Amino acid sequence: MMQNYPQELALIKNVLRQNPEGMSVTDIAKALNKNKNTTGRYLDILLISGHVDMRTYGMAKVFTLSQRVPLSAVLSYSKDLIMVLDKDSRITDINDNFLNLLHLTRKDAMGKNLTYLKSPGIDVHELINSLVTTPSEERESILSFQVQETGERIFKQKSIPTVFDDGARGVTIILSDVTGEILRERELRDREERFRMMAENIQDGLLILENGENTFVNNRFAEITGYSFEELCTMDPLAIIAPEDRGVMGPILEFRTKPQQGLFEFQASIRRKDGVYRHVYVRITGLRHENVMYHFIIMTDVTELVAKDAALFESEQRFRMMAENIQDGLMIIENEQFVYSNSRLTEISEYSLEELRTMNTHDLITPEEYQKMMGLLKKSMTCTGPPAAFQSWILCKNGEKRCIYGHINSVRHNEIVSTYITMTDVTAFALREQELLDQISRLEKRK
């Protein structure tokens, strides 16, 4: 009797179609003039295969035709790749999208065991090994394999246990193409990893705010401030600015609170968590992207540089105090460029510092002394001999000639040759000497 079940199942579905409000097992058996137990077994097959739905009202069971979309329609109109396998992994149905992936015709695929398929476009065995073809319950997974023309293809697989009209079991495999999505995620992860590698290997501290919330702090920022990543994420990073430098806070807060793009820079001292003060140079960049306002805070520890600058400034101040208080004129030339003269030299020549910088050497030295002085200067710049002494006449701004006695000494530091010329005004001595020489000459002529 059960051998004619396809016909009997069709009769039951036809009766239920005529009674959409539903029928009990007894009502269906009476309508078909069938045994109630036999009718119940047929209904079990229809229920398992999804052809009918059942609702219970107390002890009674009411059956109605299930409102389902035919599998053929799903296969035809779905964008997914769908394949239906029986319990022996033979293909009982497959849609065009799946056939296109396999580069097969329907005739090549239908009824074939999945393991014996041969595809010119993909490694079918790679695909088969990735598929979940015998699930005990509905499950999802991600599978990836190579396609000859397009390279890697990535799919989200859903394997659904399936019951056919005859009660036999199989599986429906649905593949959703997520290649673009996964590749974008990979690219995003790669970019983020490259960013983190860069951010963690730069010598500057970096902190990123998104709409005022701390979202990223690199290790260098934590090293400079002495605070941990967790602490920095819950505090205002500008709260570490030393009290004496809080004057910069007003413009900073205004820059951060206003939704504006741009760059704000400042230098200040910070007080580390351990109480040690450090001097930092900070750049805050504001950038809006869609609905997010980003602020990038870049902090450079310049404590050592500031200390060196302070020491250099102090050394320079000492040098200037010494140079301005000696009785000799001092001129410094670096790589044949005039860079410094003290006030005593301006007193001797009556030329200002600016005028001395723009003058040619022959404008200061008398013509008869020019060649001798240039020879001494060039020899000194070779840095091969001891300081050279000289006595010469110079032309002052007021037209007078003054006699100077001095020394030329050059030193090399890396690529820079610095020449120091000291000058003492000996005009009075030179004139007295010349007067004595003239008197001696006159006396000798009288003899």
Side-chain angles (χ1 to χ4, degrees):
M1 184 174 183
M2 290 291 292
Q3 295 176 353
N4 298 323
Y5 72 88
Q7 180 180 355
E8 301 297 336
L9 297 179
L11 290 174
I12 292 175
K13 289 192 290 184
N14 185 53
V15 170
L16 291 175
R17 192 173 295 111
Q18 296 173 15
N19 297 272
E21 70 282 358
M23 301 175 68
S24 66
V25 178
T26 303
D27 294 335
I28 297 171
K30 287 182 179 180
L32 296 175
N33 196 23
K34 299 292 184 180
N35 180 275
K36 181 178 176 180
N37 292 333
T38 302
T39 303
R41 288 196 293 272
Y42 287 140
L43 284 169
D44 288 340
I45 294 174
L46 291 172
L47 184 62
I48 294 172
S49 61
H51 287 269
V52 300
D53 295 325
M54 182 187 71
R55 300 190 302 273
T56 58
Y57 298 93
M59 297 295 294
K61 298 179 181 179
V62 176
F63 295 86
T64 58
L65 280 178
S66 64
Q67 302 297 316
R68 65 176 188 168
V69 179
L71 180 59
S72 58
V74 175
L75 294 175
S76 300
Y77 294 106
S78 175
K79 294 181 180 180
D80 295 331
L81 288 68
I82 304 176
M83 177 169 59
V84 184
L85 304 174
D86 64 14
K87 62 181 180 63
D88 297 319
S89 295
R90 288 191 296 266
I91 300 173
T92 62
D93 213 338
I94 186 171
N95 70 350
D96 292 338
N97 292 336
F98 218 129
L99 290 171
N100 291 335
L101 175 69
L102 298 173
H103 291 75
L104 297 176
T105 65
R106 184 169 296 275
K107 180 180 178 181
D108 295 328
M110 290 297 292
K112 300 292 180 63
N113 189 292
L114 189 61
T115 57
Y116 298 126
L117 285 180
K118 293 183 178 180
S119 168
I122 65 172
D123 185 347
V124 178
H125 295 292
E126 182 182 2
L127 172 61
I128 293 169
N129 293 334
S130 303
L131 292 174
V132 179
T133 57
T134 56
S136 57
E137 58 185 12
E138 183 176 326
R139 57 183 295 183
E140 293 184 359
S141 60
I142 297 293
L143 60 92
S144 170
F145 53 89
Q146 295 294 321
V147 177
Q148 194 170 24
E149 295 88 350
T150 58
E152 184 181 16
R153 295 286 295 275
I154 307 169
F155 293 89
K156 179 184 291 185
Q157 179 196 351
K158 181 180 291 186
S159 298
I160 306 173
T162 304
V163 179
F164 298 104
D165 290 346
D166 59 358
R169 297 183 178 276
V171 61
T172 299
I173 296 174
I174 303 175
L175 301 183
S176 301
D177 193 339
V178 293
T179 305
E181 178 183 345
I182 297 297
L183 292 181
R184 283 192 295 272
E185 289 179 357
R186 286 182 186 174
E187 183 180 2
L188 184 62
R189 286 196 300 270
D190 290 343
R191 287 182 179 179
E192 183 176 350
E193 184 62 27
R194 288 195 295 271
F195 163 77
R196 288 186 176 274
M197 288 178 61
M198 178 275 295
E200 294 298 350
N201 286 280
I202 60 176
Q203 295 303 306
D204 296 329
L206 173 62
L207 184 143
I208 301 176
L209 304 176
E210 295 182 12
N211 290 335
E213 297 292 330
N214 298 355
T215 58
F216 177 82
V217 181
N218 71 349
N219 289 330
R220 182 57 181 153
F221 202 100
E223 290 174 2
I224 294 173
T225 63
Y227 289 93
S228 67
F229 172 80
E230 292 74 15
E231 290 171 324
L232 288 167
C233 282
T234 57
M235 63 183 287
D236 185 346
L238 298 179
I240 61 177
I241 293 178
E244 57 269 25
D245 287 340
R246 291 292 172 86
V248 300
M249 292 296 291
I252 297 172
L253 294 175
E254 183 178 2
F255 179 81
R256 283 178 55 185
T257 53
K258 288 184 177 180
Q260 60 181 334
Q261 301 188 149
L263 173 66
F264 185 82
E265 302 175 86
F266 66 94
Q267 291 191 40
S269 295
I270 64 168
R271 189 172 186 270
R272 287 169 42 92
K273 183 179 180 181
D274 56 11
V276 175
Y277 283 80
R278 306 291 291 180
H279 201 81
V280 296
Y281 171 57
V282 181
R283 286 87 71 206
I284 304 178
T285 302
L287 176 65
R288 176 170 290 280
H289 179 67
E290 296 179 349
N291 295 325
V292 180
M293 188 66 195
Y294 294 92
H295 283 98
F296 301 89
I297 301 177
I298 301 175
M299 180 180 291
T300 305
D301 189 339
V302 294
T303 306
E304 283 73 21
L305 292 177
V306 170
K308 289 180 181 178
D309 287 344
L312 183 62
F313 178 76
E314 184 179 353
S315 176
E316 184 178 353
Q317 287 297 101
R318 288 197 298 268
F319 166 78
R320 288 184 178 275
M321 289 178 62
M322 179 274 295
E324 294 299 336
N325 286 280
I326 61 175
Q327 296 303 307
D328 294 337
L330 174 63
M331 177 185 293
I332 302 176
I333 299 172
E334 289 185 354
N335 290 347
E336 301 185 10
Q337 296 293 321
F338 177 88
V339 295
Y340 176 78
S341 71
N342 65 354
S343 57
R344 179 58 181 153
L345 182 58
T346 62
E347 292 174 2
I348 295 172
S349 67
E350 297 188 358
Y351 286 105
S352 67
L353 174 61
E354 290 72 21
E355 289 173 323
L356 288 169
R357 282 183 173 176
T358 57
M359 289 174 60
N360 292 320
T361 308
H362 61 262
D363 293 331
L364 186 62
I365 304 173
T366 60
E368 57 271 19
E369 300 284 350
Y370 182 76
Q371 293 299 329
K372 181 180 71 173
M373 289 297 297
M374 287 299 97
L376 290 174
L377 187 62
K378 289 182 178 179
K379 183 178 180 180
S380 176
M381 287 182 176
T382 62
C383 305
T384 56
F390 68 91
Q391 183 170 323
S392 180
W393 290 85
I394 64 171
L395 295 171
C396 298
K397 186 176 182 180
N398 61 4
E400 294 182 359
K401 291 183 180 180
R402 303 194 71 82
C403 184
I404 58 171
Y405 174 78
H407 292 84
I408 302 176
N409 186 32
S410 295
V411 293
R412 179 184 295 276
H413 181 70
N414 296 329
E415 300 299 322
I416 299 176
V417 176
S418 300
T419 301
Y420 300 85
I421 305 174
T422 58
M423 290 169 275
T424 304
D425 187 352
V426 293
T427 306
F429 297 101
L431 291 175
R432 283 197 296 270
E433 182 181 8
Q434 187 63 43
E435 184 178 352
L436 288 173
L437 291 174
D438 291 343
Q439 288 179 0
I440 293 171
S441 179
R442 286 194 297 270
L443 289 172
E444 289 177 346
K445 287 179 180 181
R446 289 176 183 177
K447 293 179 181 181

